Amino acid sequence: EVQLVESGGGLVQPGGSLRLSCAASGFYFSNYVMYWVRQAPGKGLEWVSSISSLGRVTYYSDSVKGRFTVSRDNAKNTLYLQLDSLKTEDTATYYCARDPYARNLVLKDYVPSVRGQGTQVTVSS
């Protein structure tokens, strides 16, 4: 069974930082492109970032480019998202997501259906 478990969310002031983690199990993690997506209150799911199976290719949405950094540790089956220079508009539930197929195709603006339960990030003073 595929499991994706996010952690690391919390309440942070504007300008602050957080590091989100996603522990993956139930599949061969290093074979899959991974994604981060988020959902702000009252809004739909929004693609945030993509990372290739070996971590060599990364993409970011314009809204987070230069502030967020995606990475992965395939030896630990873990995906990360470093959030820096946080803004109030970054407040959302953040989900890690797995590509539905073990393919070498890194997409932008893509929201996979295989997702974890999410971790809440609240940016407020």
Side-chain angles (χ1 to χ4, degrees):
E1 178 188 2
V2 173
Q3 285 198 324
L4 300 168
V5 180
E6 301 92 338
S7 61
L11 174 64
V12 62
Q13 292 185 342
S17 297
L18 284 173
R19 189 192 195 202
L20 307 184
S21 299
C22 171
S25 62
F27 64 100
Y28 196 48
F29 181 71
S30 61
N31 276 3
Y32 287 82
V33 175
M34 297 295 294
Y35 298 84
W36 285 99
V37 301
R38 68 185 181 184
Q39 187 168 27
K43 297 188 177 181
L45 287 163
E46 175 193 14
W47 168 74
V48 173
S49 181
S50 315
I51 185 167
S52 61
S53 57
L54 298 182
R56 294 170 183 167
V57 177
T58 59
Y59 296 125
Y60 301 92
S61 67
D62 289 343
S63 60
V64 309
K65 194 176 298 180
R67 301 188 297 118
F68 291 7
T69 304
V70 62
S71 61
R72 64 192 295 164
D73 185 337
N74 285 348
K76 296 182 178 179
N77 289 349
T78 302
L79 178 72
Y80 302 99
L81 187 67
Q82 177 69 37
L83 289 64
D84 296 318
S85 303
L86 281 161
K87 304 176 181 180
T88 55
E89 52 263 44
D90 295 319
T91 295
T93 301
Y94 285 72
Y95 302 88
C96 71
R98 193 202 78 175
D99 196 282
Y101 308 105
R103 56 184 174 177
N104 188 27
L105 178 63
V106 186
L107 299 173
K108 300 178 185 179
D109 202 19
Y110 177 57
V111 178
S113 59
V114 181
R115 298 189 292 268
Q117 86 290 346
T119 186
Q120 177 67 37
V121 172
T122 302
V123 185
S124 175
S125 55

